[in-house]
Amino acid sequence: MTRQDFKKLFDQHFDAIRNYIYYRSGDADLATDLAQEVFMHLWEKQPDYHPKATVGLLYKMASDEFISHYRRQKLELNYKSALSFKLQDVSPEEELEYKELQQKYEKVLAGLSEKQRVVFLMSRMDGLKYHEIAERLRISVKAVEKRMKYALDDLKSKIKVK
């Protein structure tokens, strides 16, 4: 795909792709961001340019990008809701220590690479097995194991419990 082909495709179809995502999400800013991501991914992939097929690919990529965003958002909400349980019969010192530990955990988790964080949360929050994660992310089980190892190493090294 040449720059001219890409520019022509972008100029002709950006608004339609953005509207397609907007109709699914109801959020104009999100639709614009995701549409930009779709075109960025298209440019990175550099597929052969066939006008009709490439437009179809754009819509498929837009749908996939929206679904991925929705799943990430759902995973984040599940994670946050899992952390918000009530502490009962604890001293103020224990509650403070817990809150500090929770903040440290969230900070370290946010500092992980996206790949490590996704694998870690899919394993710990969704309770998926490594082969299930590999299947969903379309990567090898070895890649899942490696990402999980690095995520756990980071968590252990950066969160020191007294």
Side-chain angles (χ1 to χ4, degrees):
M1 173 180 297
T2 66
R3 285 180 183 252
Q4 292 82 12
D5 291 337
F6 180 78
K7 183 174 179 359
K8 181 179 175 184
L9 197 65
F10 183 87
D11 291 343
Q12 290 178 347
H13 297 285
F14 181 80
D15 289 335
I17 296 296
R18 183 180 53 210
N19 288 341
Y20 172 72
I21 297 170
Y22 174 71
Y23 297 147
R24 293 186 72 180
S25 69
D27 184 342
D29 292 333
L30 174 66
T32 301
D33 291 344
L34 293 180
Q36 289 173 350
E37 286 288 321
V38 167
F39 278 96
M40 185 179 76
H41 291 310
L42 181 72
W43 179 251
E44 289 170 354
K45 287 183 186 287
Q46 286 290 315
D48 292 335
Y49 181 67
H50 305 288
K52 288 185 180 181
T54 306
V55 172
L57 177 63
L58 277 173
Y59 279 94
K60 172 72 172 125
M61 290 173 69
S63 177
D64 291 348
E65 191 72 32
F66 174 73
I67 290 169
S68 293
H69 175 78
Y70 174 77
R71 286 180 180 157
R72 281 191 304 269
Q73 197 173 35
K74 183 178 174 186
L75 183 66
E76 185 178 321
L77 287 173
N78 288 342
Y79 165 71
K80 287 180 180 178
S81 67
L83 287 179
S84 63
F85 59 90
K86 300 283 185 210
L87 296 173
Q88 299 174 354
D89 300 327
V90 294
S91 69
E93 294 84 22
E94 290 173 328
E95 188 173 343
L96 181 62
E97 285 178 19
Y98 172 77
K99 286 182 181 179
E100 288 173 355
L101 182 61
Q102 183 179 5
Q103 288 173 346
K104 227 185 235 189
Y105 172 75
E106 289 176 358
K107 184 178 178 182
V108 172
L109 195 61
L112 294 175
S113 73
E114 181 178 350
K115 292 177 180 180
Q116 291 173 358
R117 186 174 48 252
V118 167
V119 167
F120 179 80
L121 292 175
M122 287 176 89
S123 173
R124 296 302 195 254
M125 300 305 290
D126 293 343
L128 298 176
K129 306 240 182 289
Y130 285 3
H131 68 89
E132 294 171 323
I133 296 170
E135 189 177 295
R136 289 186 184 184
L137 297 178
R138 295 186 181 125
I139 59 176
S140 70
V141 174
K142 281 289 186 194
V144 172
E145 291 171 354
K146 187 176 179 181
R147 291 176 187 182
M148 191 65 169
K149 177 194 177 313
Y150 288 130
L152 290 172
D153 287 348
D154 271 359
L155 286 167
K156 287 177 187 175
S157 69
K158 293 178 182 171
I159 298 177
K160 304 283 188 206
V161 181
K162 296 177 187 174

